[in-house]
Amino acid sequence: MSGDKLSTELKWSIDETSVPDVPSPVQRWDVPDGANVTVRSGVVAIADFQTADPNTGPSGTSADPSRSTRLALGYKEPNDPLGAWTVFTQEQRIAPFNDLSLKDQQSSENAQNRVITFDPEEVGSGSLTLEDADEIALLVIGPDEIDGADSQFAIPMEFNNG
Amino acid sequence: MASSEQARQVVLTEDQFTTRPYSAGEEGIVATVQVPSNQVWMTAPGQPIELALVSKQTTTVDENTADQTVTLDPEAPMVDYLDDPTAGEYTGNAYIVGYFDSTGDGTPDTQITGSSTVQFNGTFSEDGDFVTSFEVDDTSGDAGTKDCEFYVVQRYGISTIQKRSAGAGNVSQSLKSEDSVRYAFASPNDPSADRQVTWDATMGGMRGILPPKYSLDIVFYDNTEGVALDSDRADNLTIALPVKQRGLKDDEDPGDLRRKVANSMTEL
């Protein structure tokens, strides 16, 4: 069905808190029973991240994660070892998301920095379908604990029930 | 009355909807409207949608005290198509609307403006495109704290617009589903912004048709946050859904039409 979003607001999304300096999820999506989800390369993401604790940076105390934070999407199949995420998108800097407000990101002009691009070594076809019991995660690495419950992320997806 | 041959486009607004209570953690219908028995509706592909669901936040203020900070949790998105309280627009159509209990009867039903007994003093704290807190003054001399209610556009959760068949064993189909914050930051009126949320162009066929007696629902879901559309004072609830309406044609049987549409919904 068209118009669905893989977003942090979904009923089957799970909030996580990332571990500093370790590639770790801030959000997991456990594909519901009987459903499958297709995500495509080249879609524009909308995202905003907040740290678990206010950090102290050059600009003072704020809840914005460090600009050195990088993010990517990963997937895990049921028999994969715990925590073994296969990263399938190219790493992105957090800056293009956190520099712009959620409102400004909704304008799709000049969105090149916010395009999610698949890693051709992992997914050749530009589209990835995940079956039920597979999981997708939004992974980050950076010096801060990022709070999934307070963060926002959405990309278009196709959701098929059965 | 819609003529039987020509469809005309109307915008369904919040006062045509029946609102229902909601509690966090469930996926629930929060507003619904039914197609009259002699009409057929169709979503208008490509036309912009406005949807701002509001939550209720409560607090108390002390008598005769200025500069009392009210912290919003969750924070309020600054919605372009509603009045802006940070610019002094303390109306019932703002993205934050406040009421206080002026009579001590336990019901906060007097609107907070710039000159009411409990009043906005004009100080608002913002974080990006969100208001995080603001200040009110209580100018009364009487004793006792006052209960206040604030209706704030909900930034969390998913809001889905669906059609639903009538009667027992009913089926429903999603017509539009977006994060609430995307509807809040849609910009249907700004000619230079492309932040519109619209009916999908794919909605031209059977999917966009609502036969007689079908319902058009707004469904909300969030795990922890709620909405309070069923309150008498949720004035800033905004729903604007463009639909085409026409009368039932002489040779159309409403039962056939309903069956045809219901079949197309279950095939998916």
Side-chain angles (χ1 to χ4, degrees), chain B residues 4 40 212 246-257 260:
Chain B
S4 61
V40 180
R246 67 165 171 81
L248 205 60
K249 290 175 181 164
D250 291 341
D251 58 351
E252 273 179 330
D253 176 53
D256 283 350
L257 201 55
K260 216 156 92 182

Side-chain angles (χ1 to χ4, degrees), chain A residues 1-7 10 12 29 31-32 36-40 43 128 136 154-160, chain B residues 158 177:
Chain A
M1 193 190 300
S2 64
D4 284 316
K5 297 284 186 299
L6 182 69
S7 98
L10 286 172
W12 42 281
W29 293 275
V31 179
N36 66 68
V37 162
T38 302
V39 287
R40 290 185 193 286
V43 296
L128 176 67
I136 316 174
I155 56 168
M157 66 164 176
E158 283 154 45
F159 183 83
N160 296 304
Chain B
I158 275 191
S177 188

Side-chain angles (χ1 to χ4, degrees), chain A residues 110-132:
Chain A
N110 297 326
Q112 291 91 334
N113 271 342
R114 300 190 299 280
V115 171
I116 302 286
T117 312
F118 284 4
D119 182 349
E121 293 201 349
E122 292 295 339
V123 186
S125 64
S127 114
L128 176 67
T129 299
L130 294 138
E131 310 286 336
D132 64 2

Side-chain angles (χ1 to χ4, degrees), chain B:
Chain B
M1 188 64 235
S3 87
S4 61
E5 294 300 326
Q6 279 178 325
R8 60 174 183 181
Q9 188 172 315
V10 300
V11 179
L12 299 173
T13 52
E14 56 278 359
D15 33 308
Q16 281 148 288
F17 283 77
T18 308
T19 53
R20 295 188 189 167
Y22 175 83
S23 37
E26 65 181 21
E27 186 173 58
I29 295 171
V30 291
T32 183
V33 62
Q34 194 179 42
V35 183
S37 59
N38 56 356
Q39 283 187 20
V40 180
W41 292 1
M42 196 183 117
T43 58
Q47 293 293 314
I49 295 167
E50 285 176 25
L51 191 62
L53 307 185
V54 294
S55 66
K56 183 169 83 173
Q57 303 188 22
T58 55
T59 189
T60 53
V61 298
D62 295 327
E63 72 278 8
N64 215 14
T65 309
D67 304 340
Q68 303 188 55
T69 301
V70 177
T71 302
L72 292 174
D73 180 22
E75 55 199 4
M78 299 168 72
V79 179
D80 281 348
Y81 49 84
L82 294 176
D83 287 344
D84 183 3
T86 66
E89 295 173 344
Y90 308 129
T91 70
N93 292 318
Y95 53 80
I96 302 168
V97 178
Y99 294 89
F100 71 100
D101 182 3
S102 59
T103 52
D105 63 353
T107 311
D109 50 7
T110 306
Q111 198 182 335
I112 300 175
T113 65
S115 58
S116 50
T117 306
V118 175
Q119 60 187 235
F120 289 112
N121 71 6
T123 302
F124 288 83
S125 298
E126 297 166 25
D127 177 16
D129 291 311
F130 296 93
V131 171
T132 53
S133 67
F134 54 85
E135 289 182 6
V136 292
D137 297 345
D138 185 337
T139 59
S140 70
D142 59 346
T145 56
K146 294 178 192 64
D147 292 332
C148 295
E149 281 179 0
F150 293 93
Y151 292 88
V152 174
V153 173
Q154 180 57 270
R155 66 162 290 189
Y156 289 112
I158 275 191
S159 304
T160 302
I161 304 164
Q162 70 171 23
K163 65 174 175 180
R164 181 166 48 90
S165 67
N170 59 12
V171 286
S172 59
Q173 184 179 27
S174 162
L175 301 176
K176 186 78 192 170
S177 188
E178 292 280 359
D179 294 355
S180 300
V181 74
R182 285 202 29 113
Y183 291 109
F185 288 145
S187 183
N189 305 323
D190 182 350
S192 64
D194 62 350
R195 289 186 271 117
Q196 286 188 1
V197 175
T198 59
W199 289 120
D200 292 340
T202 54
M203 215 80 88
M206 195 61 97
R207 185 154 167 230
I209 305 265
L210 285 90
K213 294 285 181 193
Y214 267 46
S215 295
L216 190 63
D217 303 327
I218 313 287
V219 178
F220 180 80
Y221 168 76
D222 191 76
N223 203 19
T224 52
E225 304 294 340
V227 290
L229 313 188
D230 55 321
S231 165
D232 293 343
R233 292 179 293 284
D235 289 340
N236 47 351
L237 163 67
T238 303
I239 303 173
L241 306 178
V243 297
K244 292 175 176 163
Q245 299 183 341
R246 67 165 171 81
L248 205 60
K249 290 175 181 164
D250 291 341
D251 58 351
E252 273 179 330
D253 176 53
D256 283 350
L257 201 55
R258 280 194 286 268
R259 217 163 298 125
K260 216 156 92 182
V261 173
N263 287 342
S264 80
M265 288 159 73
T266 47
E267 273 167 20
L268 282 175

